[in-house]
Structure formats: C-alpha cells, structure tokens
Amino acid sequence: IGAMVVRSFGEKHGWLFREDALFQAEIAQGRVQEVELRLLLPTTYMNRSGRAVRKVIDAFSIPCSRCCVVVDDVYLSFGEMRLRCGGSSGGHNGLKSLEESLGSSSYPRLRMGVGAKKEGATLAEHVLGEFSLQEQERLREFIDRGVDVLEKSMTTNLPHLMNVVNFCNKRASVEPGEEK
C-alpha cells in the first residue's frame, strides 16, 4: 500500500518514475507548492530498503526529518492511518532497515493499515497479496487519503497534522451507534 500511495502522489502531479540502478530505486521528482520533492520506490527487498533511502539522502543532502516514509501496517485495520514524527519500527522490516541505514528512527512515517494477516497466510503473502472485495471497494479512497496527508505534510505543522490524522482514525473506527 505504501508504494501505491507514493506512485499515486507522483501520478497526481504528472511525474514519471524512472528506474535508477545507482539508487536501487524508482525515482520521480518535481515541485509542489514551490517545494522540490523526490519520490522513492526502492527496488530492493523490503528488509534492505534503507540502503536506497540512505543513497538518496546522501546524494541530495536531505535531512532525515524531511523524509516521510509510507508503509503498510498489519496492526491497523484496513483504512486506518497513523502519522508519527518518529518512533520504533514496530517489527516492520522496512523500517528496521531504514533505522539501521540512517542510524536514526527520527523521520516521519505514515502507517497505512492493511489489517491482520489471514489464517494460514504468511506475512509476506498478506501484505503483497490481493485486497478483499470489500477492501478493493475502499482502496482508491484510502490511497487518496494517504496522498492528501503527504501533500499536507509539506505545508502543515507536522504535530498538528498528526493530531488531525490520528484523531480522524479514532472517529472513523467507531461503528454507527457505538460510543468510544
């Protein structure tokens, strides 16, 4: 789901991704609201994605605090999002690789909920597999919300945006007629 959000962000702005063997990634770049951006889709295995991010950060002198990483999260229900300024990997192999490569866990991350793995499926099969029919009906809207959060992260105070995104999840997770 993270790659879907990043790719959709690029498509929305008319940017083309090109494979770059040096960076071990597909890269797109452009400007949004006078801000120069680079979008990165590592072509490495997830548990080595930090290498690609490190190469881009070094090549373009980008501080970790200005990198927003979009990842799937099996601990969040499908459609839920959590935005954080930093924190632990939470067992996510991609975030572990980033932390090792960057020597820091102080970078923003947008966690996109894909729900718990199904009985009998491996974690890889779950996060790389097909979405259920119910999830497919909501997928475009979920991706669009992720793109919206990324865009707002460029112009909005990140702690304020975190409060908005994370509060909306609490409200959205309440079933009609149910109280928290």
Side-chain angles (χ1 to χ4, degrees), residues 7-171:
R7 195 171 297 283
S8 187
F9 183 101
E11 289 170 359
K12 178 178 180 178
H13 295 285
W15 304 349
L16 297 176
F17 282 87
R18 62 175 173 73
E19 189 155 346
D20 190 314
L22 176 67
F23 293 122
Q24 297 179 294
E26 290 182 49
I27 297 179
Q29 60 185 32
R31 298 181 84 71
V32 175
Q33 301 177 10
E34 304 304 316
V35 177
E36 179 77 24
L37 296 175
R38 286 181 178 76
L39 304 179
L40 179 75
L41 295 170
T43 54
T44 61
Y45 288 109
M46 178 69 66
N47 61 352
R48 293 190 177 131
S49 58
R51 295 176 186 177
V53 174
R54 175 91 253 172
K55 289 178 181 187
V56 170
I57 282 176
D58 289 346
F60 298 104
S61 301
I62 302 169
C64 293
S65 63
R66 296 297 304 153
C67 297
C68 187
V69 178
V70 185
V71 296
D72 55 49
D73 192 320
V74 297
Y75 298 109
L76 294 176
S77 298
F78 179 86
E80 285 188 63
M81 292 186 282
R82 293 280 189 273
L83 181 63
R84 300 278 190 255
C85 289
S88 76
S89 68
H92 192 285
N93 288 333
L95 294 179
K96 284 181 191 176
S97 175
L98 279 166
E99 191 171 323
E100 289 171 10
S101 294
L102 301 178
S104 173
S105 61
S106 297
Y107 53 85
R109 75 269 325 260
L110 177 61
R111 292 178 176 265
M112 307 284 293
V114 294
K117 70 181 181 79
K118 312 303 184 266
E119 185 71 34
T122 67
L123 188 59
E125 288 169 341
H126 176 63
V127 297
L128 298 175
E130 298 293 320
F131 291 100
S132 71
L133 291 176
Q134 295 86 0
E135 292 168 341
Q136 288 177 29
E137 291 173 2
R138 298 174 42 212
L139 185 59
R140 181 76 257 158
E141 181 268 335
F142 186 34
I143 291 170
D144 290 345
R145 285 191 299 124
V147 169
D148 185 53
V149 170
L150 288 180
E151 287 179 328
K152 287 179 179 167
S153 74
M154 292 183 290
T155 58
T156 305
N157 172 283
L158 200 54
H160 172 73
L161 184 58
M162 285 171 40
N163 287 335
V164 171
V165 170
N166 299 338
F167 176 76
C168 286
N169 276 334
K170 290 178 185 173
R171 300 293 303 153

